[in-house]
Amino acid sequence: MELIPVVVCRVNRGILMTRKGNLWYIESMNEPEIIRIDEDTWRVEDNGVRFFILKGEKRALLVDSGMNTHGVKEMAENLTRMSVSLINTHADIDHIGGNDEFPSFMMHPSEAANYFSHKKVGIIDPVYDGDVIDLGGRKLEVMLVPGHTPGSIMLLDVSRGVVYGGDSIQDGNIFLFGPMREIHAYALSLRRLEKWKGRYDIIYPSHGTFPVSPSLIQKLIDGSIKVMRNEIEGKEAEVFGNKIKVYDIGDARILGDAK
C-alpha cells in the first residue's frame, strides 16, 4: 500500500490545516473575535488575519473583509449604525472573504487580476496613490506600496496618527514568493513611508502582533536588503504546494522564491 504523506501546519494563529498528498484540509478554526480599539474603531481577529471597522460622522468603512467571517457587512452596520463601504488593502484570499456582500468596493486597480483569479465577483471602485477617503470628520490617505502584491495599499488615519499597514508591515510571515510578488519593490515601497514621517506613531497590521511600532519598518527594509544580498541563508519549505525559502530576519520572516 502506498503511503500518503500527511503534514500538519498551523497557519498563523487560530487556523489548523492538514495536508494529505497535494490537498489541504481545514481541521479547526476559532470564532472571529471583535475587539473595540476606541470609540469609533474595531478590529476583528479572523483565524490569523485581522480586519478593521472605522466609523466617521457620516459613514463607516470596512478595511478588508476577512477570510471566514460571514455577514461582515451586517456586522459592521450593527456596530456603527451607519452605512458601510469596503476598501481592500489587497486581494489575497484572506482579505476578500466577505467582498461578495458588497456590490462594489474600493481597491487599487493593479489588484484586479489577483482579485478575479479567486473567482470573486463585484465592481472595483478604483483608488489611487494620494487619494483621500472622507468618512466625515475622519480622513484616510491612500499610499500605494507594491511588493507583497502589485496593488497593495496602506491607509493613514490622519486625525488618529495610525497607519493600517495591510500585510506589508508585520512581525509574522511576509509572503514574497510567486509571480505577483517582488522583494525589490517591497523594500522600495517601505521607504515611501518617509513621506508620512511625523504624521503617525502606531501601525495596525493585518497579521502578527497588534499593534506594532514604526521602528519595525527600518528593520523590515534592512532584512529585505540582506535577503537580496544573500546575507541570510534561507531554509527550504513548502507552502500550499509552492517550494519556497524562509528567511528569518529577526523581527519577521520573509517567505521568498526557492532559488
Side-chain angles (χ1 to χ4, degrees):
M1 177 182 294
E2 182 181 358
L3 295 177
I4 299 175
V6 177
V7 178
V8 178
C9 176
R10 187 167 296 279
V11 184
N12 292 313
R13 291 173 298 196
I15 182 166
L16 183 69
M17 302 189 73
T18 299
R19 179 164 65 85
K20 300 177 181 178
N22 293 323
L23 299 177
W24 284 87
Y25 302 88
I26 295 176
E27 297 290 344
S28 63
M29 290 187 296
N30 297 327
E31 288 296 318
E33 183 180 10
I34 303 171
I35 301 170
R36 195 165 197 163
I37 300 172
D38 60 40
E39 186 176 354
D40 298 317
T41 312
W42 296 261
R43 76 181 204 257
V44 183
E45 301 289 342
D46 181 14
N47 292 285
V49 67
R50 180 181 299 118
F51 61 97
F52 301 90
I53 301 167
L54 284 58
K55 180 182 177 181
E57 295 173 0
K58 296 181 179 178
R59 61 185 175 119
L61 182 69
L62 196 63
V63 180
D64 291 330
S65 61
M67 178 169 59
N68 298 295
T69 303
H70 300 289
V72 292
K73 185 173 185 289
E74 182 180 7
M75 177 182 68
E77 289 172 343
N78 288 339
L79 284 171
T80 63
R81 302 297 179 185
M82 289 185 165
S83 63
V84 178
S85 302
L86 168 64
I87 188 168
N88 292 110
T89 59
H90 61 297
D92 282 350
I93 193 65
D94 54 334
H95 293 258
I96 59 173
N99 274 47
D100 295 349
E101 300 173 24
F102 294 81
S104 65
F105 46 86
M106 290 173 278
M107 180 184 289
H108 194 277
S110 296
E111 283 297 281
N114 187 14
Y115 182 77
F116 292 112
S117 73
H118 300 298
K119 311 301 182 185
K120 302 292 284 185
V121 299
I123 298 171
I124 294 176
D125 294 326
V127 291
Y128 298 94
D129 187 66
D131 281 358
V132 177
I133 301 164
D134 192 350
L135 304 181
R138 188 174 190 177
K139 293 182 178 180
L140 300 158
E141 293 185 16
V142 177
M143 178 180 287
L144 177 63
V145 286
H148 173 63
T149 65
S152 287
I153 62 170
M154 296 185 192
L155 300 170
L156 172 63
D157 196 340
V158 178
S159 61
R160 287 163 170 76
V162 173
V163 167
Y164 294 86
D167 282 9
S168 298
I169 304 176
Q170 56 159 305
D171 61 3
N173 296 323
I174 301 170
F175 283 35
L176 289 172
F177 63 88
M180 289 189 308
R181 313 185 199 274
E182 216 291 316
I183 191 170
H184 298 82
Y186 172 75
L188 291 170
S189 290
L190 291 182
R191 293 185 185 278
R192 296 201 66 218
L193 283 157
E194 185 71 18
K195 177 181 178 181
W196 285 346
K197 186 175 181 179
R199 301 181 64 194
Y200 68 96
D201 52 22
I202 202 74
I203 297 168
Y204 292 173
S206 295
H207 299 279
T209 303
F210 177 88
V212 296
S213 167
S215 62
L216 178 61
I217 297 171
Q218 189 59 52
K219 295 174 182 177
L220 294 175
I221 293 172
D222 293 343
S224 300
I225 291 172
K226 288 180 180 179
V227 172
M228 289 186 282
R229 290 176 176 173
N230 296 315
E231 295 176 4
I232 298 177
E233 182 178 357
K235 295 183 178 180
E236 294 183 357
E238 184 174 323
V239 175
F240 302 121
N242 298 286
K243 292 183 178 180
I244 66 166
K245 284 194 173 182
V246 179
Y247 301 90
D248 188 341
I249 62 172
D251 293 274
R253 289 163 300 282
I254 290 177
L255 278 56
D257 288 311
K259 299 176 182 177

